[in-house]
């Protein structure tokens, strides 16, 4: 199960998604299993050398078979449609997990080819690492400073697209401590394969220590630093910033929504940091 994070969730969103996947697979087995059984049975029974099999070349209609063939798939489609409708609202990524609890605010920015996570309330930022306290809802607002990306943390939930000039949102919660793999799952060019990060679900004390560690980094993410960071680069190590330029997230969205084409990404100029 460790190699299949989708099947071994550690949060309510991923758990609900997994259970829905199991239910859909189970209901579809009602059709899939009989099809394979009949395919084998027909092959054996109606083989050319079996002279005992009934031969009815003019057979074209048998109403009990018609009812079975059409009613069962129709019932499955209705069941899937009903659950799709229900879970589309239940798993709306914009819906707060627990409105009575103030969520941790995180801003995720997709770059070529790394993730920048900004914690506006803590005034810190980190590249290719996400941290959160266990049991506390996390509200992630997502955008892209390059082509379309897609954020997913399979153990917790997702995936949500990141698009330049737009903002999307994902609400998550980790109910167990651990380190969970996350990545971009939308192909975005040369460095796509390495655009990954680790998510640390920690106790409140460990999260506070992590925040304090970032605040001790000694370098701030101002406009000049951000512009240097936003240049295409691969395998960028975890990097902490002890301060963030005010309104950085909104400025990145505005840059693309205002059509500033002079700052289009230049993939051919990728830098590699090993």
């Amino acid at each position: 199960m460790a190699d299949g994070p989708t099947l071994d969730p550690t949060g309510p969103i991923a758990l609900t998604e997994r259970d829905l996947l199991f239910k859909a697979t189970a209901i579809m087995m009602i059709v899939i299993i009989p099809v394979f059984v009949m395919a084998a049975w027909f092959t054996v029974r109606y083989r050319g050398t079996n002279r005992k099999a009934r031969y009815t070349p003019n057979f074209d209609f048998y109403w009990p078979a018609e009812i079975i063939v059409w009613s069962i798939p129709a019932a499955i489609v209705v069941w899937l449609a009903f659950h799709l409708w229900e879970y589309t609202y239940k798993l709306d990524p914009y819906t707060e997990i627990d409105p009575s609890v103030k969520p941790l605010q995180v801003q995720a920015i997709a770059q070529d080819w790394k993730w920048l996570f900004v914690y506006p309330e803590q005034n810190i930022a980190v590249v290719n690492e996400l941290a959160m306290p266990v049991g506390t809802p996390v509200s992630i607002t997502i955008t892209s400073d390059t082509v379309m990306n897609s954020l997913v943390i399979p153990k917790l939930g997702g995936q949500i697209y990141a698009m330049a000039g737009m903002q999307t949102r994902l609400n998550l919660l980790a109910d167990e401590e651990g380190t969970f793999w996350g990545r971009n799952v939308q192909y975005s060019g040369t460095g796509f394969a390495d655009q990954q990060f680790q998510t640390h679900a920690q106790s409140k004390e460990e999260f506070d220590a992590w925040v304090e560690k970032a605040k001790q980094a000694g370098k701030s993410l101002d406009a000049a630093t951000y512009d240097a960071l936003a240049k295409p680069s691969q395998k960028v190590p975890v990097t902490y910033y002890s301060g963030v330029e005010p309104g950085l997230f909104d400025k990145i969205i505005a840059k693309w929504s205002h059509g500033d084409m002079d700052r289009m990404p230049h993939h051919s100029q990728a830098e590699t940091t090993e």
Side-chain angles (χ1 to χ4, degrees):
M1 297 290 275
D3 295 330
T6 301
L7 303 179
D8 184 26
T10 56
I13 302 300
L15 178 62
T16 304
E17 292 174 341
R18 187 204 62 177
D19 290 348
L20 181 59
L21 175 65
F22 284 172
K23 289 178 182 177
T25 302
I27 197 71
M28 287 186 288
M29 287 297 109
I30 295 174
V31 169
I32 294 173
I33 292 176
V35 165
F36 279 92
V37 171
M38 287 189 293
W41 185 66
F42 288 166
T43 301
V44 174
R45 180 170 176 78
Y46 296 103
R47 66 190 185 278
T49 57
N50 182 13
R51 301 302 180 184
K52 297 180 180 179
R54 187 171 56 179
Y55 179 62
T56 54
N58 296 321
F59 173 83
D60 61 358
F61 182 80
Y62 180 55
W63 67 265
E66 296 290 334
I67 292 176
I68 294 174
V69 166
W70 290 105
S71 63
I72 293 179
I76 291 175
V77 170
V78 170
W79 187 93
L80 291 174
F82 173 78
H83 283 76
L84 177 63
W85 178 276
E86 177 187 5
Y87 283 90
T88 295
Y89 287 97
K90 185 178 290 185
L91 293 172
D92 183 350
Y94 284 65
T95 302
E96 293 184 7
I97 294 176
D98 185 355
S100 65
V101 179
K102 184 177 183 295
L104 172 68
Q105 298 292 332
V106 178
Q107 297 167 336
I109 303 163
Q111 298 177 330
D112 288 329
W113 288 273
K114 50 199 169 286
W115 286 98
L116 172 64
F117 298 104
V118 177
Y119 292 72
E121 296 169 337
Q122 289 74 22
N123 193 32
I124 59 172
V126 59
V127 176
N128 287 338
E129 185 176 83
L130 179 64
M132 61 182 68
V134 169
T136 299
V138 180
S139 179
I140 307 176
T141 48
I142 307 166
T143 191
S144 173
D145 197 8
T146 177
V147 297
M148 181 184 290
N149 280 236
S150 186
L151 177 73
V152 63
I153 307 171
K155 293 274 279 186
L156 300 180
Q159 113 265 356
I160 299 297
Y161 286 107
M163 293 168 283
M166 300 178 67
Q167 170 183 299
T168 51
R169 185 177 294 273
L170 175 62
N171 284 276
L172 297 173
L173 184 146
D175 51 20
E176 296 179 17
E177 292 186 18
T179 299
F180 314 128
W181 169 69
R183 67 160 302 146
N184 166 35
V185 291
Q186 172 73 34
Y187 181 71
S188 57
T190 306
F192 162 75
D194 295 314
Q195 193 175 350
Q196 306 180 30
F197 62 91
Q198 296 293 329
T199 301
H200 302 296
Q202 309 165 313
S203 65
K204 180 66 168 57
E205 294 74 21
E206 290 174 325
F207 176 73
D208 290 342
W210 181 86
V211 171
E212 200 57 36
K213 176 183 175 182
K215 288 184 175 179
Q216 300 302 318
K219 53 183 176 182
S220 178
L221 188 63
D222 55 23
T225 305
Y226 178 82
D227 285 343
L229 177 66
K231 293 179 180 177
S233 55
Q234 302 178 44
K235 298 182 179 180
V236 178
V238 174
T239 307
Y240 300 96
Y241 297 94
S242 54
V244 181
E245 179 178 305
L248 176 64
F249 189 80
D250 293 335
K251 291 177 182 176
I252 294 168
I253 293 177
K255 178 176 71 177
W256 294 102
S257 61
H258 294 166
D260 185 355
M261 302 303 289
D262 292 333
R263 303 186 70 174
M264 284 287 286
H266 303 288
H267 291 177
S268 60
Q269 300 174 2
E271 300 172 353
T272 301
T273 305
E274 299 282 2

